[in-house]
Amino acid sequence: MGEMKSMQMGVIGALFLSVASSVSIVICNKALMTNLGFPFATTLTSWHLMVTYCTLHVAYKLNFFENKPIDMRTVVLFGLLNGISIGLLNLSLGFNSIGFYQMTKLAIIPFTVLLETLFLNKKFSQKIKFSLFLLLVGVGIASITDLQLNFVGSVLSLLAIATTCVGQILTNTIQKRLNVTSTQLLYQSAPFQAAILFVSGPFVDKYLTRLNVFSFHYSPIVVGFITLSCLIAVSVNFSTFLVIGKTSPVTYQVLGHLKTCLVLAFGYTLLHDPFTPRNIAGILIAVLGMLLYSYFCSVASKSKQVSSDSTFLGKDRDTTPLLGQEKENHHEAKKLDKHSPV
């Protein structure tokens, strides 16, 4: 009983850490870039990755996970792509309102599904397609009426969506082919991502902002927010692995929608981002679509499990004596009832 209660408290703690860290880093970065005038998003991202790698290295030395070497060319290319995508997401946050930035992140999933359908021949049910349709409608409504929409921010968002979608697909492919965990892959690629962004960041930031990161006046409050942002970034990465490990990817997706709602609420109340009824309606429709998508994926997963169990039981029946058939049917019915969604 005590062990079960301890596990439940661990899950609750992981969920709380994930929500708190994700909301905090968005608010912290937005305050740093908008209120304190630190516009160097790409360089800031390289610092995030450096601190994350150092933290993972310490965790590796403490035997929290085992390292598995990966082909250097694969790691470099993967690091380059993911470094670019992360940098673009941060730039999107700097050039857009929090609402449009969150809609960009929400749009990543349906575009990933589109790429998988076109290039990997994956099939999706009509219910899942309907939920994605709701999501796209919501994104359209919210982005069209977003008063802070601008050309540079829109281009950065589109590039961020494209690179992130490809990066996520490659992440899944690399893990399956090379049989490595997400932590091992992050540990191997983080230094390359950090190095790429650290070298290119100042040039990209200077081109986009016309300012030099090295000549910026780093007041104590700016240094404090930068340090806080880097520490929160480590917490975001750690809590992501923690939540998925203790619950499931579907639960983490649903949790992501809660983060979105909280970030948008904080952006409106604390940072005074402009909001209209159409903004709110679009966001609600988009979140509803994502919730339905997560639910239908969960139902489909359970259905596949039931089908797999039924097939396995069917094979067993071929070698079961006739007198044992009634007892087996009763056992199968109970098992199907147990796996059926409520």
Side-chain angles (χ1 to χ4, degrees):
M1 187 70 178
E3 184 178 353
M4 181 64 67
K5 187 175 181 180
S6 177
M7 289 179 60
Q8 292 177 350
M9 292 299 296
V11 172
I12 294 174
L15 296 175
F16 176 80
L17 178 62
S18 181
V19 172
S21 59
S22 296
V23 173
S24 298
I25 196 170
V26 173
I27 300 300
C28 179
N29 288 348
K30 190 66 177 181
L32 180 62
M33 296 177 188
T34 303
N35 298 345
L36 298 178
F38 185 85
F40 311 109
T42 309
T43 303
L44 179 63
T45 304
S46 69
W47 297 343
H48 286 173
L49 288 166
M50 288 179 183
V51 175
T52 299
Y53 171 73
C54 291
T55 305
L56 287 175
H57 186 68
V58 172
Y60 165 65
K61 290 298 183 180
L62 294 176
N63 296 322
F64 280 97
F65 69 94
E66 295 182 359
N67 184 30
K68 184 175 182 179
I70 305 176
D71 175 67
M72 183 63 66
R73 182 180 178 183
T74 301
V75 171
V76 171
L77 293 177
F78 179 77
L80 174 63
L81 179 62
N82 280 275
I84 292 173
S85 68
I86 294 173
L88 287 171
L89 282 172
N90 280 274
L91 286 172
S92 176
L93 173 61
F95 282 86
N96 295 302
S97 66
I98 288 183
F100 190 78
Y101 169 73
Q102 289 299 322
M103 292 301 100
T104 299
K105 293 180 68 176
L106 284 174
I108 289 173
I109 293 181
F111 277 96
T112 301
V113 171
L114 177 63
L115 290 177
E116 289 181 332
T117 302
L118 294 177
F119 299 103
L120 300 179
N121 296 321
K122 290 190 176 181
K123 305 297 181 182
F124 299 90
S125 68
Q126 292 298 324
K127 290 182 179 180
I128 290 180
K129 291 180 181 178
F130 172 73
S131 64
L132 293 177
F133 172 75
L134 281 181
L135 170 63
L136 293 176
V137 169
V139 171
I141 294 174
S143 61
I144 290 174
T145 59
D146 194 323
L147 299 179
Q148 293 185 335
L149 179 67
N150 59 84
F151 177 75
V152 175
S154 300
V155 172
L156 289 171
S157 294
L158 290 174
L159 291 175
I161 291 171
T163 54
T164 304
C165 289
V166 176
Q168 288 180 350
I169 293 175
L170 287 179
T171 300
N172 181 270
T173 303
I174 291 174
Q175 289 186 54
K176 287 184 176 180
R177 288 188 177 182
L178 303 182
N179 192 28
V180 295
T181 66
S182 55
T183 306
Q184 292 170 334
L185 184 59
L186 177 62
Y187 177 64
Q188 291 287 320
S189 61
F192 294 98
Q193 296 179 51
I196 292 167
L197 292 175
F198 185 77
V199 173
S200 63
F203 298 100
V204 174
D205 289 333
K206 186 175 183 179
Y207 174 78
L208 293 174
T209 65
R210 300 292 187 265
L211 297 173
N212 192 333
V213 65
F214 299 109
S215 61
F216 183 81
H217 175 65
Y218 290 89
S219 63
I221 189 172
V222 171
V223 174
F225 267 88
I226 291 174
T227 303
L228 179 62
S229 179
C230 291
L231 294 176
I232 296 174
V234 176
S235 181
V236 169
N237 292 326
F238 172 74
S239 62
T240 297
F241 296 123
L242 191 62
V243 169
I244 295 176
K246 286 184 173 293
T247 58
S248 68
V250 173
T251 302
Y252 181 74
Q253 287 181 2
V254 174
L255 187 66
H257 309 320
L258 174 61
K259 298 175 191 176
T260 300
C261 296
L262 292 175
V263 166
L264 292 172
F266 277 114
Y268 174 67
T269 57
L270 298 182
L271 302 181
H272 306 293
D273 281 351
F275 249 41
T276 67
R278 291 189 65 181
N279 283 124
I280 297 174
I283 291 170
L284 290 176
I285 293 173
V287 172
L288 174 62
M290 290 305 303
L291 290 173
L292 289 175
Y293 175 77
S294 298
Y295 172 74
F296 291 143
C297 285
S298 177
V299 171
S301 178
K302 290 181 179 179
S303 298
K304 288 181 179 179
Q305 183 64 39
V306 170
S307 176
S308 177
D309 290 344
S310 299
T311 302
F312 179 76
L313 289 170
K315 292 180 179 179
D316 284 349
R317 270 199 299 270
D318 292 338
T319 58
T320 302
L322 184 60
L323 293 177
Q325 188 71 36
E326 181 177 350
K327 183 177 181 180
E328 181 180 316
N329 286 341
H330 177 68
H331 173 74
E332 180 181 355
K334 287 180 66 178
K335 192 166 186 178
L336 290 174
D337 181 68
K338 179 179 179 181
H339 284 280
S340 297
V342 178

